[in-house]
Structures are given as structure tokens and as C-alpha cells.
């Protein structure tokens, strides 16, 4: 079986097997979940072994007609934009099973099944190169997450689950219409029905249609990211979700939004993207500052981390719409970084919640003395999130800001204050929880972090350091694909900027006229080109 | 040699890694101190030795080495020049970095030795040395980095170590607060620094020193004048944060909450001088931007006199030294701002010697007095701690600027350069010199002369009896303006016995530093006093001050006769300061004149003692403002943004509730059902959730697929 199909279907197959486990065999159930997800992770490492570094287009492609009459294919492929997100997914899934080993008492079987189905859906969405297939996986993700929040969540879980659900579906229904319309356009222009994104990249749209479709797609992804002001489902969902749900939600699901912008919005609608970039950049910059400030005054640790996600994801969207090679690479890296550092923070908040059953900052203080190992992990995760050089967060933020500075200096300057604010709210968190004298007697004898939680943290910490010290490993693989994306959207890889060439400064603006167009005339030969490397 | 240089940097990191692992694996068990000492000190010593060898070997010929590509993006794209945005991990040895390298490794090593004595009673001994070694690693990256990004890594890294070490006694609120304050204030500076780096990247397409400076000097003022001004001002914002200049200096006095060796190493000798190093390193850019230079000079001069005046009225021995450090750093920027880059680095060096000696001496005093830091409860210590007394006296004379000790030469060189440049800036410098001499000898007389006041149980009055609540009550430690005492957590708490001299590991280090404080200035012996012209130190650093095309910044040099007069003036002012300190604190053991003066000028005295209420001002404006903004936004988020969301939901429920289409029945009912069940909860939920929304969802998806079908059938030509 090809590797991508294996990665997609193994978790769900394991979930079906799991359905036959007796409910009482809790250890076996959890062990099975951990075993399968670890196996999937190991298989996914095979992607790196067989990786062709120089290739910009999709690799490991699979293509089978599915609903042939409508041109819907079971098409899979992976490139430098998606490969790290897939690996992040396969890494985080065993980690949540490991970290939640002793935390889930209610319906453990259903819990594991839900997460396995989620893994299938997430990997599927990242590697689908047929729009309909993508859409199915994209929506399939909602279901188990909705259940995870609604069943294993906190007190207001139903409210949060429904809010999460309705918000997301409201956006994605519009996207579905847009997808159908795109397919219709493709049919007219290419002469045969197709939802393959490589074919769709080549379609030509009138500016008006492009703008409408751009907004339909963007809305769906902006909700998913979430971009200000569509973010209010996120804090509620995070606060109510169990630890594992939060880790997956923040670690992977939010990236569906940013991934969607990169994979679909930018290459499908380059002119509209450029035209409305200012709007999205403004919203992301607002999100960066707004999320950070609101995070600072949260009394609940989880809400604090949730709002910090709004701020961090703002950086990712900023990098995407700054449309420079540097900022987009930074943005992809930052998606991974956020998965690691925020995933770690949610994991650690879960650890202490297990022990004390409160997430209020006011209930803590001085537990650095009682839980020194835990405190060490927490501070490392915080430093990674703060963007300390040497750890992963710095590289991502640095690339995003450096790239953005070229095309949108004002946005970069304002966004950079978010880095100050991150230090403020995260160090505040650390101080309130770990430093000072122990004010609450109940905190005097909390058991320190357990072996399974340490085991779950170690890969995250290793990767934080790895990306911080040697990001080349990661940047190398994404580079050709990003470069390809840059030509697709017709932007200079360096962005539109002031260039000091031959000692003279010149202002060079790449207008829409002199950009290489990616347009194919209807029925032109490019429609019959094999599906590799795009239509240009 | 390049791998040796890497070793210099990595050795302290290895020490930190080993000790850190030991502390991490068994956090509650005490570690073997000898083992800790071995890993911490051996790595630092070896690093210093190799560094010395490298400096000797490569003297006169700068070199740099790229170890690996750190952040590569846009490779392989032939088109745009700036697409090749790559950052190398590269280290550089030249005259400037060698100088800093020697200061950092050797002073760092001495302070490590000292700390083995000073920290010997601490539970977190191994943790302390882990942080200290980590600091050495980061500081070495900072000074050896061959581009601005590597410098920035070290820059933020030392900030982290500073945060960890200030908050070393993390279970004390004041220490945790001070650490956080330091980190955040530094971040504000770093914000400027990183924007400066982006601007450098955008302008020159690289952050590598060699390349940037070559392009800049080739282009000259005509081409880069405006952009260089912007770059330099942004970089200087970073320097203001790290080197505690107005208005970002507020973190440094609070940073004294860390153990005293930390104050000596990080907050006096090395880290805080990083800003000066950065400005001197960027001298090519600064010389293209005279306006930025003027800003540097003015901020430096203002900081120097401002902090010195606060230092006049502080009673905490470490606070006096902290404000003195801020003031001396201001001096260095004053020097750099008037173009005396060499003098600035010279002062960095001499200051490292005498200020480290002073801080460590203060640590010895605190150690000997059982953790006491209030000078009003010291006195007469020269009898009890003779070695500490002599070394501190030497360092005090050095900082006061009395020839032929180190401080005189560096300070004089700065002032001699300032005079022809801006008379007023020079005047500020001279007044500061007088104040420095006064408060340092005040510290000296209060601590070492008179009679020991710490043993008295009855409260002695503080210098300003009119302030309520300042009486010393037995068993209650003195609280000064609410900021609780610094280093209080340090080992011994009760002074049950007389002050005692510190162990040799501490006094030995003091002696070495005292010798350096005496002799260190001679390498900058001016021609006016029989030295070379230019001075040896100026000759050494000359290659760093590259000649640039179309030099726009004018270096001024005073005539020889003027130089003698200037020297005389600064020595006279210093002597005056010492005399006043002697008059008020030595000849008048009851400090009666002083108390009268303080009472007469009560508002001024109170303003000085309260540090001009700057912290209060910041709290009331910037900090409170941001908190209120954040609270306002939170309210906005809850009631407006989310309010709209909930409102839309309620409206939809209401509106569709009266309709009769399919969606209404399934979706909305599902939602209503879901909300209604919120109250119940329990395991019932699972079933209900399944039978409620999930089916609707499937229906929606089904509807979607039908929709696709319809569209296709409809559209098919």
C-alpha cells in the first residue's frame, strides 16, 4: 500500500479493530491507541527517507478515479508545504495518548477511537490534492473533535462544542459552494470535469468571480485559524476540551486554516489575494496584539494559552499574506512551532489540572519548589513560545517578521510589539504559577510530573531545540515548494521591496502586468498536460 | 583555530549541560559541591586559556569562520539579490572581539571562583552554576558572533540568564518581580534591535559585519546617511535596554535582587556593557549618522548624571553600586556618542575591573555582616575585614578617577574627547565625575569607617528622621520605600556574631581585581602623561575603526595644553567629591551636618532617595495604561465580539424557529436541544449528542453532495 494511503487509513482501521475490544480492557485499549499511532508516526518518517529535496511539486502521489463522471479523484500527494504538518500530526497523536494515559477514565475506548479517526481526517486533509476529497476530510475532522469536546469536556462543554461546530460549518459550507463553482469553471475551461487542484490552478477567473470565491474560501479558513474577529469559538473550545483535544485542536486543526490559505487561496486567487492582502494583514496584526493583551488578563491558564494561540496564529497569517519567500517559509515553520510549543503548554496545563483540578492562576504560586522538573519543562515551553533565540519560536517569528518587513514594514513593526507582549503574558503566567512563596497549602505536596508525561514532553523539547539550532533540516524541504508557490502567485521571492543593487537604491514595484501569468486559455494544451508540477 | 574558538564558546555550555542535568535529574537531593565546582570552573578556566591562546595567535589579523548555515531561505533562486536571506552561524576574532573576549572569560572565571565561596551555603548551588555557565556561553556568542543575528542570539540569551539569575531566589516575590521586569524591559529594547537588524538586512542584503560595513563605508554618507540614522537609532534602542540607559534603566537597580556574584558579573562587568560593544561594533554605521551619534551622547550624558544623583542618597550598598553602574554606562555611551569609541571600550574594560571588585567587595561585606545590605547598619568594618577593606579602597579610588588608577585614564579620555565636541556634554560628565567620587567615598566611609552599627539592637535613626516608619525595630528588617531588600535570601540571616572576613576564594579574587584596577589603565596611558600617541589601546583597536568613504563624522582632538587643563579639572572635581564625603561621613561621625542639609532640602532629598519616582511614574502611566487596555479588550471580546456571535445565534434560532424549511427543523432544533441539555450533563450526553447534531451534520453533508449533483446536472452542457 502506498505510504500516504497507509498513513490515512491505518488509524481508522485500527479504530475499527478497537471497536471489538472489551470495554473493561482499559490498558489494552490505551496501549493499542499508543501502539498504532506510534507505528503511524514511524511509517510517516518514511516520507523523509524517500524525499526528493529538489522537487517543488507533489511527491508520493496517488491517483485513482473515484466518482469519475464528476471528475472526482482519490488523489493524494505531499509537498514541502504539507510534509511537516503531516509529521506534526503523526507526532502529536501518540503524544496525547501517552500524556493522557492516566487522565481519561470515562469511555476510554470511544476516546481513543475519536482521536484515531481525527488522525485519519487530519492527515487526509493535508495530503488530498482533490478539492472534494480535501473537503470531506476537512469536515470529517469536525465530527470527532465535536464529540471529544462534548463528551470529555468541562462544565460548559455542550455550549463550547456547538459553538465550535456551528462556527466552523458556517464557513465551510460557503467554501463548499465555492469548490463546486470552481469545479464548474474547470469543466468549462478544461473540457472535462476535475477537482484536482493542479488543474484548478490553471483556470482563469474574472476578477469579480475571483473576489467572491476568494472570500468564500478565506472565510472558512479564517474561522479555522482563527483570525480576529472570528476567534471567539476558540477560547471556549479550548477551555472545555480535555487536554488531548486542546493539543490536537491547537497543534494541528488550527493549521488547517493557515494551510488552506497557502494551498488554495493564494494559488487559486492570486490577484484577489494581493488585492485583499492588506485586509488580512490588518486582521492578523490586530489578532497578534489583541490576542496577546487579552491573554495577559485571563485568570484561567488554559484561556491564557488559547488567546496566545490567536496571537501566534496571527503571525502565521501575516507571513502568508506578506507574500515573500522568507515570510512564507517562516509561516510554515511557525505552524509547526506553534504545534510544538502550544501543544506542550496545553499538555503541561493538563498535567497540573489532573493533580489540582483547577486552572485558575490565583490558586497557584510557588509550585516551582514542589514540582521542579515540571517547572523546568514548563519554562522551556514558555521560552519556546516567547521566541527565545536557540529555540524554535525565534526562527519562525524572525523569518516572518524579516520577510514582512520588506513588503509591509508598518505591519512588521506593529507585529513585532507582539513579541514584547508575549514575554509579558507568558512570564506573568510563569511567575504566578511557579514563583513566589507557596500561598496555598494544597500546593505544598503536588506530585511532580510523571514518567508518561515526561516521555510525552521529551520529543517536543528535542524538536524545539532542533528547530532552534538547526532549522535547515526543515527549511530545506519546504523551500522548492514555497518557491514554486511564489511563481504561482507571481510575486518575486524576495517580495516587493527596496533593493540595494550595485550600490544604488531602487524602488521596484512588481505590477500585475509584468508578472508571469498562470492563466490557461480554455481548451488550451495545458489542460491535457500530465498532472505534475502544475500547469505552468 | 576555528575549532578552538568554537570550543571556547562551547565549553561553558558543556559545563552548564552537565551541571544542569545533575540538578534536573535529582532536584531535591543536595549535589556534591566539588563535582559542581569541577565542571563549572574547569570549563570556564579552559575556555579562558584557549581564548587567550587564540588571541595571542591571531593578534593583528582578524578572521572569521562560518560553522554552518543557520537559517537559509530562498537558496537557489538566481533572481533577486535579497532572496538569499541566509544567516550563518559564524564567529569572528578581531581586535574588538578579542578585547571583549579577554574581559568576559577572565573576569567571568574570577567571579566563578568567588562564587564558590559566596554561594557555598546555598541549596541551589548547582543550579546557580548551571545558569552562570550558560551565561558565559551566551555572552561569548554575543561578543564573538560575526553577524548581527548571532549577536542577537547571545543578546537575548544573556537576557534569559539574567532573568534566571535575578530570580534565583524565585520563592521570594521581589526576586521574581525583578527578574521579570529585567526581561520585559530588555525585550522592549530588543524590539528596536531586531527592527534595526531587519533594516540592515533590507539595506545591505546581509547582516554580516564585514559585508555591511564594507558596503556602508563604500556608499558613504551621501548614499546611506538617512537610512544609517534610522538603523543606528533602532540599534541604540536595543543598547538602551541592555545597558540600562534612560529611559529603560529601571530594571538594573532591581536586578540587584540576584546573588552578588551575578550583580558583579552580569550587571556590572559584562552583560550590561553589551550595548556599548554593539555601538562600537557598529561604529561605521554610527559615523554615517551624526544625528544618531548626538542622541547617543545626550542619552549617555543624561543617564550618567541622572543615575549618579540617585546614587548620592541610597543606603543599600548594592543599590549605590547599581546606580553607579548605570551612571558609568552612561559615561561609556557619552564617549561613543562623541566619537571616542576606543575610550568607550577602554572604559568598559577598566570599569569591568573596578566595578567587579567593588561588587565582589560589597558581596564580601554582605557575607561578613550576615546578609545585611543597609550601610547604615555597617560601619567600622575595616577592623573586621582588612582585606576586603583595602581592595575596596583601591577600587573606590579607581572609580573616583584619581590618577594613576585605571578609572582616571579611561574617564579622562572620554572627557577629553567630549570637550571639543560639546562643552555642555563635557560639563555633565565632569559634574558626574564629582558625584561619583562623592557617593563612592560615602559608601566607603559609611561601610568601613566609624563604629560598627549592626550590633546595636536599639533602633538607630535613619538619615531622615522625619520619615515615619524608618526606625529600626529589633527583629524587623529595614524596609526601604517598600522595595524589600535585595539578596535578603542570602544564606545567613541573623547577625548573632561580629562581622568576619570572607574566605580566601573571595578575598583572593578581590586582590587580583584590585591589582587590575590599579594597573589596567596603563595600556591607555595618554601621550600627555608620557604614553604613546595614539595610546597603545587606541593603536590596538584602530583596525576596527575602519576609514570610511566620505567620512561625515568629525573626530575632535583637544590640544595638549587643553588636555592638561581638562585632566586637572576632572581630578580637582574628584578630590572635591572625596573631600565632601570625608567631611560629611568621616569627620562628622554622627552625620549631623548631613541630616541638617537633608532636612533643609527635604523635597530634593526625598526625590533622590525615591529615585525621582520614576518607577511610580511608569507604573501609573505605561503599565497601568496597558493593563487597562487589556482589561478593556477582554470586556470587548466577551461582550461585543462574542456578544455578536451569540446574538446571531439567538436571532437565527428565533427567526428560523418560525420558518418551515428543512434546515430549521434539524439544525436549529439540534442546537436548541444541545443547549437545553447543558444543564443535565453526565454520560447521557454521549447518546444525546449522537442522536442530536451528528445526524444533522450527516444530513448537511448529504445535502451538500446533493447540491453538487444538482449543480452538475444543471450545468452539464
Amino acid at each position: 500500500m502506498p505510504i500516504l494511503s497507509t498513513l490515512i487509513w491505518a488509524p481508522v482501521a485500527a479504530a475499527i479493530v478497537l471497536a471489538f475490544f472489551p470495554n473493561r480492557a482499559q490498558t489494552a485499549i490505551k496501549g493499542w491507541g499508543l501502539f498504532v499511532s506510534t507505528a503511524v508516526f514511524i511509517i510517516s518518517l518514511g516520507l523523509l527517507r524517500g524525499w526528493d529535496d529538489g522537487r517543488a511539486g507533489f511527491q508520493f502521489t496517488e491517483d485513482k478515479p473515484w466518482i469519475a463522471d464528476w471528475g472526482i479523484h482519490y488523489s493524494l500527494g505531499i509537498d514541502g508545504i504539507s510534509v511537516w504538518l503531516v509529521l506534526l500530526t503523526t507526532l502529536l497523536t501518540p503524544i496525547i495518548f501517552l500524556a493522557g494515559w492516566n487522565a481519561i477514565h470515562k469511555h476510554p475506548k470511544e476516546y481513543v477511537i475519536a482521536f484515531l479517526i481525527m488522525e485519519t481526517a487530519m492527515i487526509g486533509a493535508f495530503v488530498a490534492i482533490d478539492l472534494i476529497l480535501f473537503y470531506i476530510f476537512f469536515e470529517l475532522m469536525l465530527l470527532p473533535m465535536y464529540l471529544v469536546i462534548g463528551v470529555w469536556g468541562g462544565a460548559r462543554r455542550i455550549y463550547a462544542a456547538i459553538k465550535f461546530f456551528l462556527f466552523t460549518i458556517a464557513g465551510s459550507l460557503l467554501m463548499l459552494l465555492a469548490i463546486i463553482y470552481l469545479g464548474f469553471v474547470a469543466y468549462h475551461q478544461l473540457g472535462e470535469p476535475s477537482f484536482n487542484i493542479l488543474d484548478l490552478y490553471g483556470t482563469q477567473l474574472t476578477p469579480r468571480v475571483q473576489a467572491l470565491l476568494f472570500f468564500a474560501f478565506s472565510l472558512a479558513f479564517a474561522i479555522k485559524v482563527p483570525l480576529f474577529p472570528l476567534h471567539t469559538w476558540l477560547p471556549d473550545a479550548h477551555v472545555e476540551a480535555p487536554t488531548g483535544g486542546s493539543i490536537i485542536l491547537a497543534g494541528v486543526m488550527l493549521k488547517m486554516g493557515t494551510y488552506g490559505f497557502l494551498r488554495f487561496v493564494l494559488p487559486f486567487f492570486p490577484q484577489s489575494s494581493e488585492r485583499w492582502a492588506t485586509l488580512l494583514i490588518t486582521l492578523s496584526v490586530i489578532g497578534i496584539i489583541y490576542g496577546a493583551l487579552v491573554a495577559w488578563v485571563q485568570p484561567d491558564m488554559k484561556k491564557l494559552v488559547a488567546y496566545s494561540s490567536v496571537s501566534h496564529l496571527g503571525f502565521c497569517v501575516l507571513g502568508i499574506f506578506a507574500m515573500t519567500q522568507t515570510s512564507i517559509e517562516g509561516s510554515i515553520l511557525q505552524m509547526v512551532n506553534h504545534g510544538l510549543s502550544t501543544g506542550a503548554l496545553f499538555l503541561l496545563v493538563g498535567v497540573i489540572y489532573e493533580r489540582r483540578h483547577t486552572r485558575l492562576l490565583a490558586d497557584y504560586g510557588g509550585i516551582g519548589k514542589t514540582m521542579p522538573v515540571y517547572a523546568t519543562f514548563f519554562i522551556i515551553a514558555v521560552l519556546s513560545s516567547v521566541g527565545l533565540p536557540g529555540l524554535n519560536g525565534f526562527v519562525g517569528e524572525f523569518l516572518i517578521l524579516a520577510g514582512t518587513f520588506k513588503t509591509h514594514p508598518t505591519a512588521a513593526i506593529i507585529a513585532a510589539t507582539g513579541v514584547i507582549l508575549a514575554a509579558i503574558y507568558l512570564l506573568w503566567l510563569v511567575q504566578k504559577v511557579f514563583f513566589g512563596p507557596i500561598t496555598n497549602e494544597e500546593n505544598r505536596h503536588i506530585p511532580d510530573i510523571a514518567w508518561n508525561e515526561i516521555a510525552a514532553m521529551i520529543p517536543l523539547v528535542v524538536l524545539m531545540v532542533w528547530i532552534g539550532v538547526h532549522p535547515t533540516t526543515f527549511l530545506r524541504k519546504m523551500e522548492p515548494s514555497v518557491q514554486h508557490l511564489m511563481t504561482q502567485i507571481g510575486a518575486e521571492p524576495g517580495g516587493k521591496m527596496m533593493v540595494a543593487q550595485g550600490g544604488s537604491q531602487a524602488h521596484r514595484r512588481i505590477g500585475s502586468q509584468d508578472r508571469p501569468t498562470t492563466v490557461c486559455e480554455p481548451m488550451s494544451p495545458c489542460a491535457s498536460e500530465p498532472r505534475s508540477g502544475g500547469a505552468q | 583555530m576555528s575549532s578552538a574558538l568554537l570550543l571556547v564558546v562551547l565549553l561553558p555550555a558543556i559545563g552548564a549541560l552537565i551541571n544542569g542535568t545533575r540538578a534536573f535529574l535529582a532536584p531535591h537531593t543536595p549535589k556534591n559541591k566539588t563535582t559542581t565546582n569541577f565542571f563549572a570552573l574547569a570549563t570556564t578556566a579552559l575556555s579562558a586559556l584557549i581564548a587567550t591562546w587564540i588571541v595571542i595567535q591571531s593578534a593583528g589579523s582578524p578572521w572569521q569562520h562560518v560553522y554552518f548555515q543557520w537559517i537559509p531561505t530562498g537558496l537557489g533562486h538566481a533572481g533577486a539579490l535579497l532572496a538569499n536571506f541566509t544567516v550563518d552561524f559564524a564567529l569572528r576574532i578581531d581586535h574588538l572581539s578579542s578585547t571583549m573576549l579577554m574581559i568576559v572569560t577572565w573576569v567571568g572565571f574570577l567571579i566563578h571562583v568567588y562564587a564558590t565561596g559566596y554561594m557555598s551555603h546555598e541549596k541551589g548551588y548547582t543550579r546557580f552554576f548551571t545558569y552562570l555557565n550558560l551565561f558565559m556561553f551566551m555572552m561569548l556568542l554575543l561578543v564573538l558572533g560575526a553577524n548581527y543575528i548571532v549577536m542577537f542570539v547571545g543578546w537575548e540569551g544573556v537576557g534569559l540568564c539574567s532573568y534566571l539569575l535575578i530570580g534565583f531566589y524565585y520563592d521570594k516575590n521581589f526576586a521574581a518581580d525583578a527578574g521579570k521586569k529585567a526581561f520585559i524591559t530588555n525585550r522592549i529594547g530588543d524590539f528596536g534591535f531586531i527592527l534595526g537588524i531587519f533594516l540592515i538586512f533590507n539595506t545591505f542584503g546581509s547582516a554580516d559585519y564585514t559585508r555591511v560595513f564594507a558596503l556602508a563605508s563604500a556608499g558613504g554618507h551621501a548614499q546611506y546617511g538617512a537610512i544609517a540614522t534610522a538603523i543606528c537609532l533602532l540599534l541604540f534602542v536595543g543598547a538602551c535596554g541592555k545597558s540600562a540607559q534612560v529611559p529603560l534603566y529601571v530594571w538594573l537597580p532591581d536586578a540587584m535582587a540576584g546573588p552578588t556574584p551575578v550583580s558583579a558579573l552580569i550587571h556590572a562587568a559584562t552583560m550590561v556593557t553589551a550595548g556599548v560593544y554593539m555601538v562600537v561594533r557598529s561604529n561605521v554605521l554610527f559615523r554615517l549618522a551624526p544625528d544618531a551619534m548626538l542622541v547617543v551622547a545626550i542619552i549617555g550624558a543624561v543617564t550618567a548624571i541622572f543615575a549618579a544623583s540617585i546614587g548620592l542618597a541610597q543606603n543599600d550598598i548594592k543599590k549605590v553600586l547599581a546606580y553607579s553602574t548605570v551612571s558609568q554606562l552612561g559615561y561609556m555611551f557619552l564617549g561613543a556618542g562623541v566619537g571616542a569609541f576606543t575610550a568607550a571600550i577602554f572604559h568598559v574594560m577598566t570599569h569591568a575591573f573596578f566595578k567587579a571588585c567593588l561588587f565582589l567587595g560589597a558581596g564580601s561585606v554582605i557575607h561578613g555582616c550576615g546578609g545585611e545590605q543597609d550601610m547604615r547598619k555597617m560601619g567600622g568594618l575595616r577592623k573586621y575585614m582588612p582585606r576586603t577593606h583595602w581592595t575596596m579602597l583601591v577600587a573606590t579610588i579607581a572609580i573616583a578617577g584619581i590618577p594613576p588608577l585605571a578609572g582616571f585614564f579611561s574617564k579622562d579620555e572620554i572627557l577629553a574627547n567630549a570637550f571639543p565636541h560639546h562643552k555642555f556634554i563635557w560639563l555633565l560628565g565632569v559634574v558626574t565625575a564629582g558625584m561619583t567620587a562623592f557617593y563612592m567615598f560615602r559608601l566607603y566611609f559609611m561601610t568601613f569607617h566609624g563604629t560598627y552599627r549592626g550590633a546595636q539592637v536599639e533602633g538607630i535613626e535613619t538619615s531622615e528622621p522625619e520619615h515615619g516608619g524608618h526606625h529600626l525595630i529589633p527583629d524587623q528588617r529595614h524596609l526601604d520605600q517598600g522595595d524589600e531588600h535585595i539578596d535578603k535570601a542570602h544564606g545567613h540571616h541573623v547577625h548573632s556574631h561580629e562581622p568576619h572576613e570572607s574566605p580566601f576564594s573571595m578575598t583572593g579574587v578581590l586582590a587580583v581585581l584590585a591589582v587590575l584596577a590599579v594597573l589596567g589603565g596603563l595600556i591607555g596611558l595618554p601621550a600627555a602623561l608620557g604614553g604613546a600617541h595614539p595610546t597603545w589601546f587606541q593603536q590596538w583597536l584602530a583596525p576596527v575603526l575602519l576609514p570610511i568613504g566620505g567620512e561625515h563624522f568629525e573626530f575632535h582632538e583637544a590640544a595638549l595644553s587643553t588636555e592638561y587643563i581638562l585632566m586637572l579639572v576632572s581630578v580637582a572635581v574628584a578630590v572635591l567629591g572625596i573631600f565632601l564625603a570625608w567631611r560629611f561621613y568621616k569627620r562628622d561621625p554622627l552625620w549631623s551636618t548631613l541630616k541638617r542639609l537633608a532636612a533643609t532640602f527635604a523635597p530634593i532629598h526625598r526625590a533622590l532617595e525615591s529615585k525621582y519616582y520614576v518607577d511610580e511614574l511608569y507604573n501609573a502611566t505605561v503599565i497601568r495604561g496597558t493593563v487597562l487596555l487589556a482589561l478593556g479588550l477582554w470586556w470587548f471580546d466577551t461582550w461585543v465580539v462574542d456578544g455578536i456571535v451569540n446574538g446571531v445565534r439567538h436571532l437565527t434560532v428565533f427567526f428560523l424557529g418560525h420558518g418551515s424549511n428543512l434546515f430549521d427543523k434539524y439544525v436549529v432544533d439540534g442546537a436548541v436541544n444541545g443547549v437545553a441539555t447543558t444543564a443535565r450533563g453526565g454520560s447521557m450526553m454521549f447518546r444525546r449528542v449522537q442522536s442530536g447534531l451528528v445526524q444533522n451534520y450527516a444530513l448537511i453533508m448529504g445535502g451538500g453532495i446533493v447540491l453538487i449533483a444538482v449543480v452538475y446536472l444543471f450545468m452539464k452542457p
Side-chain angles (χ1 to χ4, degrees), chain B residues 603-657:
Chain B
I604 298 175
H605 184 245
R606 211 171 305 151
L608 289 181
E609 205 177 39
S610 317
K611 305 132 193 167
Y612 296 114
Y613 304 100
V614 171
D615 275 321
E616 286 78 358
L617 181 74
Y618 284 3
N619 266 327
T621 55
V622 183
I623 299 174
R624 177 150 304 231
T626 320
V627 172
L628 285 177
L629 176 66
L631 287 170
L633 287 178
W634 186 24
W635 180 90
F636 178 77
D637 201 62
T638 318
W639 297 107
V640 181
V641 182
D642 209 26
I644 291 172
V645 171
N646 287 329
V648 166
R649 196 177 55 120
H650 289 307
L651 267 181
T652 318
V653 169
F654 178 79
F655 182 70
L656 290 181

Side-chain angles (χ1 to χ4, degrees), chain A residues 47 99 121 142 168 289 339-340 349 420 442 447 461 466 485 497 501 506:
Chain A
L47 290 172
L142 278 187
T168 320
I289 307 294
L340 297 172
V349 171
I420 305 177
E442 287 179 69
V461 172
W466 189 342
L485 176 69
M497 69 232 148
Q501 258 173 338

